[in-house]
mmCIF file of all heavy atoms in Angstrom:
data_model
loop_
_atom_site.group_PDB
_atom_site.id
_atom_site.type_symbol
_atom_site.label_atom_id
_atom_site.label_comp_id
_atom_site.label_asym_id
_atom_site.label_seq_id
_atom_site.Cartn_x
_atom_site.Cartn_y
_atom_site.Cartn_z
ATOM 1 N N GLY A 178 -10.014 13.036 8.008
ATOM 2 C CA GLY A 178 -10.065 11.639 7.789
ATOM 3 C C GLY A 178 -8.764 10.961 8.263
ATOM 4 O O GLY A 178 -8.897 9.874 8.828
ATOM 5 N N VAL A 179 -7.623 11.536 7.847
ATOM 6 C CA VAL A 179 -6.351 10.836 8.243
ATOM 7 C C VAL A 179 -6.263 10.795 9.770
ATOM 8 O O VAL A 179 -5.892 9.643 10.338
ATOM 9 C CB VAL A 179 -5.108 11.825 7.724
ATOM 10 C CG1 VAL A 179 -3.883 11.427 8.350
ATOM 11 C CG2 VAL A 179 -5.069 11.630 6.155
ATOM 12 N N VAL A 180 -6.528 11.795 10.537
ATOM 13 C CA VAL A 180 -6.417 11.831 11.969
ATOM 14 C C VAL A 180 -7.341 10.720 12.579
ATOM 15 O O VAL A 180 -6.970 10.021 13.464
ATOM 16 C CB VAL A 180 -6.646 13.173 12.590
ATOM 17 C CG1 VAL A 180 -6.725 13.064 14.088
ATOM 18 C CG2 VAL A 180 -5.651 14.229 12.069
ATOM 19 N N LEU A 181 -8.545 10.737 12.061
ATOM 20 C CA LEU A 181 -9.498 9.653 12.614
ATOM 21 C C LEU A 181 -9.127 8.249 12.344
ATOM 22 O O LEU A 181 -9.259 7.350 13.214
ATOM 23 C CB LEU A 181 -10.870 9.955 12.076
ATOM 24 C CG LEU A 181 -11.588 11.340 12.492
ATOM 25 C CD1 LEU A 181 -12.909 11.466 11.758
ATOM 26 C CD2 LEU A 181 -11.754 11.321 14.014
ATOM 27 N N ALA A 182 -8.473 7.998 11.227
ATOM 28 C CA ALA A 182 -8.221 6.622 10.802
ATOM 29 C C ALA A 182 -6.810 6.163 11.305
ATOM 30 O O ALA A 182 -6.571 4.953 11.381
ATOM 31 C CB ALA A 182 -8.249 6.510 9.274
ATOM 32 N N SER A 183 -5.867 7.085 11.540
ATOM 33 C CA SER A 183 -4.472 6.757 11.868
ATOM 34 C C SER A 183 -4.420 5.710 13.175
ATOM 35 O O SER A 183 -3.552 4.832 13.221
ATOM 36 C CB SER A 183 -3.620 7.837 12.075
ATOM 37 O OG SER A 183 -4.009 8.654 13.062
ATOM 38 N N LYS A 184 -5.238 5.981 14.062
ATOM 39 C CA LYS A 184 -5.206 5.127 15.330
ATOM 40 C C LYS A 184 -5.517 3.707 15.041
ATOM 41 O O LYS A 184 -4.927 2.888 15.549
ATOM 42 C CB LYS A 184 -6.258 5.760 16.267
ATOM 43 C CG LYS A 184 -6.482 4.832 17.509
ATOM 44 C CD LYS A 184 -7.497 5.475 18.513
ATOM 45 C CE LYS A 184 -7.678 4.631 19.741
ATOM 46 N NZ LYS A 184 -8.731 5.214 20.673
ATOM 47 N N PHE A 185 -6.465 3.496 14.110
ATOM 48 C CA PHE A 185 -6.890 2.091 13.776
ATOM 49 C C PHE A 185 -5.891 1.508 12.885
ATOM 50 O O PHE A 185 -5.623 0.191 12.927
ATOM 51 C CB PHE A 185 -8.242 2.065 13.157
ATOM 52 C CG PHE A 185 -9.261 2.716 13.978
ATOM 53 C CD1 PHE A 185 -9.666 4.001 13.768
ATOM 54 C CD2 PHE A 185 -9.796 1.906 14.980
ATOM 55 C CE1 PHE A 185 -10.732 4.633 14.576
ATOM 56 C CE2 PHE A 185 -10.886 2.532 15.775
ATOM 57 C CZ PHE A 185 -11.348 3.749 15.557
ATOM 58 N N GLY A 186 -5.211 2.377 12.006
ATOM 59 C CA GLY A 186 -4.091 1.797 11.289
ATOM 60 C C GLY A 186 -2.871 1.348 12.047
ATOM 61 O O GLY A 186 -2.380 0.270 11.762
ATOM 62 N N VAL A 187 -2.423 2.056 13.122
ATOM 63 C CA VAL A 187 -1.411 1.678 13.921
ATOM 64 C C VAL A 187 -1.789 0.445 14.672
ATOM 65 O O VAL A 187 -0.915 -0.454 14.716
ATOM 66 C CB VAL A 187 -1.056 2.803 14.956
ATOM 67 C CG1 VAL A 187 -0.089 2.307 15.994
ATOM 68 C CG2 VAL A 187 -0.400 3.973 14.235
ATOM 69 N N LYS A 188 -2.961 0.339 15.194
ATOM 70 C CA LYS A 188 -3.444 -0.928 15.856
ATOM 71 C C LYS A 188 -3.411 -2.151 14.869
ATOM 72 O O LYS A 188 -2.995 -3.224 15.335
ATOM 73 C CB LYS A 188 -4.752 -0.721 16.453
ATOM 74 C CG LYS A 188 -4.801 0.141 17.793
ATOM 75 C CD LYS A 188 -6.144 0.266 18.302
ATOM 76 C CE LYS A 188 -6.045 1.105 19.605
ATOM 77 N NZ LYS A 188 -7.449 1.160 20.239
ATOM 78 N N ALA A 189 -3.847 -1.794 13.739
ATOM 79 C CA ALA A 189 -3.958 -3.100 12.698
ATOM 80 C C ALA A 189 -2.541 -3.528 12.376
ATOM 81 O O ALA A 189 -2.251 -4.708 12.374
ATOM 82 C CB ALA A 189 -4.662 -2.557 11.434
ATOM 83 N N GLY A 190 -1.544 -2.533 12.257
ATOM 84 C CA GLY A 190 -0.241 -2.985 11.975
ATOM 85 C C GLY A 190 0.458 -3.676 13.072
ATOM 86 O O GLY A 190 1.288 -4.654 12.751
ATOM 87 N N ALA A 191 0.006 -3.436 14.306
ATOM 88 C CA ALA A 191 0.627 -4.132 15.431
ATOM 89 C C ALA A 191 0.066 -5.580 15.629
ATOM 90 O O ALA A 191 0.803 -6.567 16.054
ATOM 91 C CB ALA A 191 0.360 -3.421 16.804
ATOM 92 N N ARG A 192 -1.145 -5.735 15.091
ATOM 93 C CA ARG A 192 -1.790 -7.150 15.232
ATOM 94 C C ARG A 192 -1.335 -8.027 14.086
ATOM 95 O O ARG A 192 -1.280 -9.262 14.239
ATOM 96 C CB ARG A 192 -3.296 -6.959 15.181
ATOM 97 C CG ARG A 192 -3.904 -6.347 16.552
ATOM 98 C CD ARG A 192 -5.284 -6.709 16.628
ATOM 99 N NE ARG A 192 -6.076 -5.989 15.485
ATOM 100 C CZ ARG A 192 -6.617 -4.761 15.588
ATOM 101 N NH1 ARG A 192 -6.508 -4.158 16.764
ATOM 102 N NH2 ARG A 192 -7.226 -4.273 14.609
ATOM 103 N N LEU A 193 -1.045 -7.518 12.886
ATOM 104 C CA LEU A 193 -0.750 -8.362 11.811
ATOM 105 C C LEU A 193 0.583 -8.979 11.885
ATOM 106 O O LEU A 193 1.525 -8.375 12.416
ATOM 107 C CB LEU A 193 -0.891 -7.449 10.436
ATOM 108 C CG LEU A 193 -2.277 -6.973 10.013
ATOM 109 C CD1 LEU A 193 -2.037 -6.095 8.879
ATOM 110 C CD2 LEU A 193 -3.075 -8.203 9.596
ATOM 111 N N SER A 194 0.743 -10.204 11.346
ATOM 112 C CA SER A 194 2.029 -10.888 11.421
ATOM 113 C C SER A 194 3.079 -10.146 10.386
ATOM 114 O O SER A 194 2.587 -9.358 9.462
ATOM 115 C CB SER A 194 1.859 -12.280 10.970
ATOM 116 O OG SER A 194 1.423 -12.393 9.593
ATOM 117 N N GLU A 195 4.384 -10.385 10.593
ATOM 118 C CA GLU A 195 5.273 -9.820 9.674
ATOM 119 C C GLU A 195 5.077 -10.280 8.223
ATOM 120 O O GLU A 195 5.263 -9.590 7.240
ATOM 121 C CB GLU A 195 6.700 -10.054 10.118
ATOM 122 C CG GLU A 195 7.060 -9.418 11.424
ATOM 123 C CD GLU A 195 8.591 -9.240 11.571
ATOM 124 O OE1 GLU A 195 9.267 -9.453 10.474
ATOM 125 O OE2 GLU A 195 8.970 -8.840 12.591
ATOM 126 N N ASP A 196 4.732 -11.505 7.992
ATOM 127 C CA ASP A 196 4.469 -12.024 6.577
ATOM 128 C C ASP A 196 3.341 -11.367 5.945
ATOM 129 O O ASP A 196 3.337 -11.035 4.808
ATOM 130 C CB ASP A 196 4.184 -13.553 6.656
ATOM 131 C CG ASP A 196 5.494 -14.336 6.877
ATOM 132 O OD1 ASP A 196 6.610 -13.810 6.760
ATOM 133 O OD2 ASP A 196 5.382 -15.553 7.303
ATOM 134 N N LYS A 197 2.234 -11.086 6.767
ATOM 135 C CA LYS A 197 1.179 -10.302 6.197
ATOM 136 C C LYS A 197 1.520 -8.845 5.848
ATOM 137 O O LYS A 197 1.096 -8.343 4.795
ATOM 138 C CB LYS A 197 -0.059 -10.374 7.111
ATOM 139 C CG LYS A 197 -0.678 -11.830 7.101
ATOM 140 C CD LYS A 197 -1.838 -11.786 8.201
ATOM 141 C CE LYS A 197 -2.481 -13.139 8.194
ATOM 142 N NZ LYS A 197 -3.623 -13.285 9.061
ATOM 143 N N LEU A 198 2.289 -8.299 6.705
ATOM 144 C CA LEU A 198 2.671 -6.948 6.410
ATOM 145 C C LEU A 198 3.598 -6.839 5.196
ATOM 146 O O LEU A 198 3.500 -5.933 4.351
ATOM 147 C CB LEU A 198 3.482 -6.344 7.646
ATOM 148 C CG LEU A 198 2.596 -5.966 8.893
ATOM 149 C CD1 LEU A 198 3.512 -5.615 10.047
ATOM 150 C CD2 LEU A 198 1.617 -4.833 8.518
ATOM 151 N N LYS A 199 4.579 -7.825 5.004
ATOM 152 C CA LYS A 199 5.332 -7.912 3.891
ATOM 153 C C LYS A 199 4.533 -8.040 2.695
ATOM 154 O O LYS A 199 4.770 -7.381 1.631
ATOM 155 C CB LYS A 199 6.352 -9.024 3.942
ATOM 156 C CG LYS A 199 7.485 -8.825 4.890
ATOM 157 C CD LYS A 199 8.543 -9.940 4.873
ATOM 158 C CE LYS A 199 9.633 -9.764 5.726
ATOM 159 N NZ LYS A 199 10.679 -10.913 5.679
ATOM 160 N N LEU A 200 3.502 -8.907 2.710
ATOM 161 C CA LEU A 200 2.664 -9.123 1.450
ATOM 162 C C LEU A 200 1.936 -7.836 1.104
ATOM 163 O O LEU A 200 1.845 -7.517 -0.049
ATOM 164 C CB LEU A 200 1.665 -10.201 1.796
ATOM 165 C CG LEU A 200 0.621 -10.532 0.671
ATOM 166 C CD1 LEU A 200 1.325 -10.973 -0.628
ATOM 167 C CD2 LEU A 200 -0.351 -11.581 1.148
ATOM 168 N N MET A 201 1.456 -7.060 2.150
ATOM 169 C CA MET A 201 0.607 -5.885 1.920
ATOM 170 C C MET A 201 1.565 -4.838 1.306
ATOM 171 O O MET A 201 1.205 -4.081 0.387
ATOM 172 C CB MET A 201 -0.003 -5.394 3.134
ATOM 173 C CG MET A 201 -1.096 -6.276 3.718
ATOM 174 S SD MET A 201 -1.947 -5.721 5.108
ATOM 175 C CE MET A 201 -2.828 -4.352 4.433
ATOM 176 N N LEU A 202 2.791 -4.714 1.827
ATOM 177 C CA LEU A 202 3.718 -3.839 1.263
ATOM 178 C C LEU A 202 4.118 -4.067 -0.035
ATOM 179 O O LEU A 202 4.262 -3.232 -0.970
ATOM 180 C CB LEU A 202 5.087 -3.758 2.145
ATOM 181 C CG LEU A 202 4.933 -2.971 3.449
ATOM 182 C CD1 LEU A 202 5.984 -3.329 4.379
ATOM 183 C CD2 LEU A 202 4.929 -1.488 3.176
ATOM 184 N N LEU A 203 4.270 -5.430 -0.483
ATOM 185 C CA LEU A 203 4.586 -5.844 -1.836
ATOM 186 C C LEU A 203 3.455 -5.496 -2.730
ATOM 187 O O LEU A 203 3.676 -5.035 -3.845
ATOM 188 C CB LEU A 203 4.945 -7.370 -1.838
ATOM 189 C CG LEU A 203 5.315 -7.899 -3.165
ATOM 190 C CD1 LEU A 203 6.648 -7.234 -3.593
ATOM 191 C CD2 LEU A 203 5.605 -9.433 -3.118
ATOM 192 N N ILE A 204 2.263 -5.707 -2.363
ATOM 193 C CA ILE A 204 1.053 -5.293 -3.168
ATOM 194 C C ILE A 204 1.017 -3.815 -3.429
ATOM 195 O O ILE A 204 0.811 -3.333 -4.459
ATOM 196 C CB ILE A 204 -0.264 -5.730 -2.485
ATOM 197 C CG1 ILE A 204 -0.408 -7.292 -2.507
ATOM 198 C CG2 ILE A 204 -1.438 -5.238 -3.208
ATOM 199 C CD1 ILE A 204 -1.526 -7.867 -1.626
ATOM 200 N N LEU A 205 1.359 -2.979 -2.359
ATOM 201 C CA LEU A 205 1.331 -1.664 -2.485
ATOM 202 C C LEU A 205 2.445 -1.170 -3.452
ATOM 203 O O LEU A 205 2.277 -0.224 -4.322
ATOM 204 C CB LEU A 205 1.601 -0.939 -1.080
ATOM 205 C CG LEU A 205 1.493 0.589 -1.125
ATOM 206 C CD1 LEU A 205 0.198 1.076 -1.565
ATOM 207 C CD2 LEU A 205 1.810 1.159 0.416
ATOM 208 N N VAL A 206 3.672 -1.767 -3.428
ATOM 209 C CA VAL A 206 4.769 -1.452 -4.277
ATOM 210 C C VAL A 206 4.260 -1.813 -5.740
ATOM 211 O O VAL A 206 4.557 -1.000 -6.736
ATOM 212 C CB VAL A 206 5.980 -2.255 -3.894
ATOM 213 C CG1 VAL A 206 7.082 -2.240 -5.068
ATOM 214 C CG2 VAL A 206 6.660 -1.746 -2.660
ATOM 215 N N THR A 207 3.533 -2.908 -5.933
ATOM 216 C CA THR A 207 3.120 -3.250 -7.280
ATOM 217 C C THR A 207 2.195 -2.201 -7.826
ATOM 218 O O THR A 207 2.196 -1.844 -8.969
ATOM 219 C CB THR A 207 2.486 -4.685 -7.180
ATOM 220 O OG1 THR A 207 3.349 -5.710 -6.703
ATOM 221 C CG2 THR A 207 1.914 -5.091 -8.609
ATOM 222 N N ILE A 208 1.188 -1.790 -6.969
ATOM 223 C CA ILE A 208 0.304 -0.817 -7.381
ATOM 224 C C ILE A 208 1.025 0.536 -7.732
ATOM 225 O O ILE A 208 0.707 1.100 -8.730
ATOM 226 C CB ILE A 208 -0.774 -0.500 -6.330
ATOM 227 C CG1 ILE A 208 -1.758 -1.812 -6.079
ATOM 228 C CG2 ILE A 208 -1.669 0.713 -6.594
ATOM 229 C CD1 ILE A 208 -2.499 -1.697 -4.837
ATOM 230 N N VAL A 209 1.869 0.946 -6.924
ATOM 231 C CA VAL A 209 2.576 2.221 -7.208
ATOM 232 C C VAL A 209 3.414 2.044 -8.505
ATOM 233 O O VAL A 209 3.416 2.995 -9.304
ATOM 234 C CB VAL A 209 3.617 2.497 -6.029
ATOM 235 C CG1 VAL A 209 4.499 3.707 -6.382
ATOM 236 C CG2 VAL A 209 2.728 2.907 -4.669
ATOM 237 N N THR A 210 4.054 0.980 -8.651
ATOM 238 C CA THR A 210 4.875 0.728 -9.829
ATOM 239 C C THR A 210 4.021 0.832 -11.094
ATOM 240 O O THR A 210 4.314 1.477 -12.171
ATOM 241 C CB THR A 210 5.643 -0.630 -9.804
ATOM 242 O OG1 THR A 210 6.558 -0.502 -8.627
ATOM 243 C CG2 THR A 210 6.550 -0.803 -11.057
ATOM 244 N N THR A 211 2.911 0.075 -11.010
ATOM 245 C CA THR A 211 1.928 0.078 -12.184
ATOM 246 C C THR A 211 1.435 1.402 -12.506
ATOM 247 O O THR A 211 1.362 1.808 -13.682
ATOM 248 C CB THR A 211 0.830 -0.920 -11.955
ATOM 249 O OG1 THR A 211 1.293 -2.275 -11.568
ATOM 250 C CG2 THR A 211 -0.152 -1.004 -13.128
ATOM 251 N N LYS A 212 1.122 2.114 -11.452
ATOM 252 C CA LYS A 212 0.505 3.494 -11.650
ATOM 253 C C LYS A 212 1.515 4.370 -12.299
ATOM 254 O O LYS A 212 1.147 5.208 -13.235
ATOM 255 C CB LYS A 212 0.137 4.146 -10.338
ATOM 256 C CG LYS A 212 -0.341 5.583 -10.349
ATOM 257 C CD LYS A 212 -0.593 6.042 -8.981
ATOM 258 C CE LYS A 212 -0.841 7.601 -8.948
ATOM 259 N NZ LYS A 212 0.362 8.304 -9.232
ATOM 260 N N MET A 213 2.752 4.348 -11.866
ATOM 261 C CA MET A 213 3.823 5.292 -12.342
ATOM 262 C C MET A 213 4.115 4.848 -13.832
ATOM 263 O O MET A 213 4.469 5.744 -14.757
ATOM 264 C CB MET A 213 5.067 5.301 -11.463
ATOM 265 C CG MET A 213 4.804 5.820 -10.223
ATOM 266 S SD MET A 213 6.230 5.959 -9.121
ATOM 267 C CE MET A 213 6.981 7.463 -9.825
ATOM 268 N N LEU A 214 4.141 3.602 -14.117
ATOM 269 C CA LEU A 214 4.420 3.063 -15.479
ATOM 270 C C LEU A 214 3.320 3.635 -16.382
ATOM 271 O O LEU A 214 3.593 4.079 -17.594
ATOM 272 C CB LEU A 214 4.585 1.644 -15.558
ATOM 273 C CG LEU A 214 5.923 1.009 -15.024
ATOM 274 C CD1 LEU A 214 5.736 -0.467 -14.976
ATOM 275 C CD2 LEU A 214 7.077 1.470 -15.912
ATOM 276 N N TRP A 215 2.037 3.563 -15.979
ATOM 277 C CA TRP A 215 0.945 3.974 -16.799
ATOM 278 C C TRP A 215 1.028 5.467 -17.157
ATOM 279 O O TRP A 215 0.856 5.881 -18.192
ATOM 280 C CB TRP A 215 -0.391 3.618 -16.088
ATOM 281 C CG TRP A 215 -1.584 4.211 -16.772
ATOM 282 C CD1 TRP A 215 -2.222 5.402 -16.461
ATOM 283 C CD2 TRP A 215 -2.361 3.598 -17.872
ATOM 284 N NE1 TRP A 215 -3.281 5.628 -17.228
ATOM 285 C CE2 TRP A 215 -3.383 4.580 -18.211
ATOM 286 C CE3 TRP A 215 -2.179 2.580 -18.611
ATOM 287 C CZ2 TRP A 215 -4.206 4.356 -19.218
ATOM 288 C CZ3 TRP A 215 -3.002 2.233 -19.656
ATOM 289 C CH2 TRP A 215 -4.114 3.177 -19.895
ATOM 290 N N GLU A 216 1.275 6.178 -15.972
ATOM 291 C CA GLU A 216 1.366 7.671 -16.212
ATOM 292 C C GLU A 216 2.536 8.073 -17.134
ATOM 293 O O GLU A 216 2.468 9.041 -17.833
ATOM 294 C CB GLU A 216 1.502 8.300 -14.863
ATOM 295 C CG GLU A 216 0.309 8.244 -14.015
ATOM 296 C CD GLU A 216 0.408 8.915 -12.579
ATOM 297 O OE1 GLU A 216 1.689 9.231 -12.262
ATOM 298 O OE2 GLU A 216 -0.611 9.111 -11.972
ATOM 299 N N THR A 217 3.725 7.265 -17.037
ATOM 300 C CA THR A 217 4.819 7.664 -17.830
ATOM 301 C C THR A 217 4.594 7.274 -19.270
ATOM 302 O O THR A 217 5.038 8.141 -20.153
ATOM 303 C CB THR A 217 6.066 6.831 -17.219
ATOM 304 O OG1 THR A 217 6.314 7.217 -15.882
ATOM 305 C CG2 THR A 217 7.234 7.026 -18.134
ATOM 306 N N PHE A 218 3.990 6.162 -19.572
ATOM 307 C CA PHE A 218 3.897 5.805 -21.041
ATOM 308 C C PHE A 218 2.546 6.172 -21.598
ATOM 309 O O PHE A 218 2.620 6.210 -22.835
ATOM 310 C CB PHE A 218 4.061 4.245 -21.086
ATOM 311 C CG PHE A 218 5.650 3.762 -20.845
ATOM 312 C CD1 PHE A 218 5.853 3.229 -19.674
ATOM 313 C CD2 PHE A 218 6.554 4.091 -21.707
ATOM 314 C CE1 PHE A 218 7.228 2.742 -19.350
ATOM 315 C CE2 PHE A 218 7.797 3.686 -21.476
ATOM 316 C CZ PHE A 218 8.235 3.074 -20.307
ATOM 317 N N PHE A 219 1.578 6.245 -20.878
ATOM 318 C CA PHE A 219 0.209 6.323 -21.579
ATOM 319 C C PHE A 219 -0.580 7.570 -21.160
ATOM 320 O O PHE A 219 -1.543 7.955 -21.776
ATOM 321 C CB PHE A 219 -0.801 5.111 -21.219
ATOM 322 C CG PHE A 219 -0.150 3.812 -21.627
ATOM 323 C CD1 PHE A 219 0.457 3.019 -20.652
ATOM 324 C CD2 PHE A 219 -0.015 3.500 -22.977
ATOM 325 C CE1 PHE A 219 1.092 1.800 -20.998
ATOM 326 C CE2 PHE A 219 0.438 2.216 -23.391
ATOM 327 C CZ PHE A 219 1.020 1.447 -22.413
ATOM 328 N N HIS A 220 -0.149 8.238 -20.072
ATOM 329 C CA HIS A 220 -0.932 9.396 -19.519
ATOM 330 C C HIS A 220 0.073 10.535 -19.254
ATOM 331 O O HIS A 220 -0.057 11.181 -18.203
ATOM 332 C CB HIS A 220 -1.764 8.993 -18.424
ATOM 333 C CG HIS A 220 -2.768 9.966 -17.964
ATOM 334 N ND1 HIS A 220 -3.864 10.236 -18.904
ATOM 335 C CD2 HIS A 220 -3.068 10.733 -16.973
ATOM 336 C CE1 HIS A 220 -4.664 11.190 -18.285
ATOM 337 N NE2 HIS A 220 -4.144 11.522 -17.169
#
């Protein structure tokens, strides 16, 4: 699945503006942080 999807991921990253990429990275950071906090304190 990774190999099939990576081509489209690279193309999508090239088309998106820098502001949109920053926003998506910030959302991803928020998800990762929330997940790690949940696992640390509750699971």
Side-chain angles (χ1 to χ4, degrees):
V179 165
V180 172
L181 292 176
S183 62
K184 175 180 179 180
F185 301 99
V187 169
K188 288 185 175 181
R192 288 196 298 266
L193 290 173
S194 67
E195 290 203 13
D196 285 342
K197 289 181 179 179
L198 287 172
K199 284 185 179 182
L200 178 60
M201 295 182 70
L202 281 163
L203 185 59
I204 292 172
L205 185 60
V206 166
T207 303
I208 293 171
V209 171
T210 302
T211 303
K212 171 182 173 293
M213 295 186 77
L214 286 171
W215 172 263
E216 292 177 346
T217 300
F218 290 105
F219 303 105
H220 195 63

